[in-house]
Amino acid sequence: VAVVSDRASGGHVLRAAAHLAEGRPHCVSIVLFPARSEQQAELQQDIQAFMKGRPAQVRMIGHGSMEALAATTRELGASMLVIPAMAALVEPESLRLLRDQLRCPICIVRRWQPHNSLPG
C-alpha cells in the first residue's frame, strides 16, 4: 500500500512501491492521504499518469486520521506500507500507532540526493 499525500513526494512513493512490488505497479494499492484537501484532484491525476491506464485500487482518506490510515491499510491486506517522510506521518506518535496497529513493515520514502563527491 502506497500513501500519496502531496505532489512533491507522491512520485517518489509510487516508484518505491512499484520497485518493492518487483516492477508490478498494478499490485500496488494506493491511499490518498492529502496534506491539503484542495490537492485531491491533482493527486488523482498524478496517480493516473503513473499507472499509465492500468487499473489501481485507490482509497481516499480525507480527514487525515492515522487510525483511518491504519484501518484502510489492514482492509487492503498490505504486505508493506510505503509512506512519504512528511511530518504528519513520521512523528513518533504516528509511527507508534501504525507500528502497533499493523502487522506489516513500514517503508519511509524521502527524496535522496546522491553525493557527487564520491570517487567514481
Side-chain angles (χ1 to χ4, degrees):
V1 171
V3 175
V4 176
S5 62
D6 62 70
R7 295 190 90 183
S9 67
H12 298 293
V13 169
L14 290 171
R15 280 190 295 283
H19 180 74
L20 291 166
E22 299 177 344
R24 298 173 296 170
H26 61 280
C27 293
V28 176
S29 297
I30 301 166
V31 173
L32 282 176
F33 194 78
R36 295 188 331 259
S37 60
E38 64 271 11
Q39 289 183 327
Q40 180 179 343
E42 295 168 343
L43 294 174
Q44 288 175 330
Q45 290 173 351
D46 292 346
I47 290 168
Q48 293 295 330
F50 179 80
M51 295 305 293
K52 298 177 182 153
R54 293 181 296 253
Q57 187 169 15
V58 180
R59 298 272 184 95
M60 173 70 186
I61 300 177
H63 47 80
S65 161
M66 295 305 293
E67 290 83 4
L69 176 59
T72 300
T73 301
R74 284 192 309 272
E75 289 170 17
L76 291 169
S79 58
M80 180 176 290
L81 178 63
V82 183
I83 62 173
M86 63 178 278
L89 293 172
V90 296
E91 290 177 354
E93 293 174 16
S94 298
L95 286 175
R96 188 174 5 266
L97 183 142
L98 291 173
R99 189 187 66 215
D100 290 347
Q101 293 193 17
L102 300 175
R103 299 277 185 226
C104 65
I106 300 169
C107 174
I108 301 171
V109 176
R110 68 177 180 90
R111 188 172 178 166
W112 178 72
Q113 296 291 333
H115 298 288
N116 293 330
S117 61
L118 297 176

